[in-house]
Amino acid sequence: RFPAPGAEGGGAGGKGAVLIDGQPVDYRINHVLKPGQKILLRTPGGGGFGEPGARAPDAAERDRLDGYVEA
């Protein structure tokens, strides 16, 4: 629910989530799964450090291609 804050101008981290067949669920209650259902556990990410615009352009592009940041 509460993403980790960034430091020195960095953005907040990602929030965690639990999805069953692509639909978010309340992870605090029990769920009975049917055969073939898929669970995705998205762990939260840490906050960024430093101003994003100060990062070298080639390093920022590499992070984007690797899926670390959204375009």
Side-chain angles (χ1 to χ4, degrees):
R1 291 188 322 191
F2 306 103
E8 303 291 326
K15 293 190 264 182
V18 178
L19 295 92
I20 297 176
D21 291 335
Q23 300 298 311
V25 297
D26 185 346
Y27 58 86
R28 297 169 294 182
I29 62 173
N30 290 329
H31 295 273
V32 177
L33 301 174
K34 298 176 183 132
Q37 284 190 296
K38 295 186 186 332
I39 299 173
L40 173 67
L41 175 61
R42 189 175 296 146
T43 57
F49 181 82
E51 291 288 339
R55 188 147 167 80
D58 60 323
E61 177 64 8
R62 189 170 52 250
D63 289 346
R64 189 189 67 75
L65 293 173
D66 288 342
Y68 293 130
V69 296
E70 295 178 5

